[in-house]
Amino acid sequence: TGGTERLLSRKEKPGASHEKVPPKLTSAGQLMPEEIVKRTTSSHENTFVKVGKPEKANVVRIQYAYWTQQGWYPDDPHKANQDAYSITHKFGGEEGDIMFGVYDGHGEEGHRCS
């Protein structure tokens, strides 16, 4: 039923190191700006799609993008991002239908359930 583009914000970034290096912090214990950038995943540009049924004259052009940031847990600095999202074009096999899903995991296994 349609093509699904499942995007996981916890997906490993190209060129990412497998070494667990402690994040750089400010003197107040907050993440440095470069550390925040390392913890984000986003679309590189906006995407435009037409949604609706042309035969019913109710087509709308929408624009979307995505952005997420891995949380900061001082007691577990390498905790997996527990957010994920999906975009399904032709939802239910219908041209002009699209489904957006946002999954917000919580708890020890939150990254698995999202």
Side-chain angles (χ1 to χ4, degrees), residues 61-81:
R61 184 172 183 252
I62 63 170
Q63 171 182 340
Y64 68 88
Y66 56 88
W67 184 90
T68 183
Q69 178 184 328
Q70 176 183 352
W72 167 236
Y73 301 89
D75 58 329
D76 188 3
H78 302 291
K79 184 175 182 175
N81 191 343

Side-chain angles (χ1 to χ4, degrees), residues 36-102:
I36 293 171
V37 170
K38 288 180 193 176
R39 293 168 171 267
T40 62
T41 302
S42 65
S43 53
H44 296 287
E45 56 189 39
N46 294 340
T47 301
F48 294 90
V49 295
K50 290 182 181 177
V51 179
K53 308 283 186 252
E55 63 274 9
K56 294 184 179 178
N58 65 350
V59 175
V60 176
R61 184 172 183 252
I62 63 170
Q63 171 182 340
Y64 68 88
Y66 56 88
W67 184 90
T68 183
Q69 178 184 328
Q70 176 183 352
W72 167 236
Y73 301 89
D75 58 329
D76 188 3
H78 302 291
K79 184 175 182 175
N81 191 343
Q82 296 187 327
D83 299 337
Y85 44 92
S86 66
I87 303 163
T88 305
H89 297 266
K90 293 176 72 174
F91 182 68
E94 295 289 324
E95 192 68 46
D97 287 352
I98 189 167
M99 184 184 89
F100 297 95
V102 177

Side-chain angles (χ1 to χ4, degrees), residues 2 4 15 17-19 24 48 58 62 65-66 71 98 112 114:
T4 300
S17 171
H18 295 289
E19 188 178 332
K24 296 176 188 171
F48 294 90
N58 65 350
I62 63 170
Y66 56 88
I98 189 167
R112 295 183 194 273
S114 68

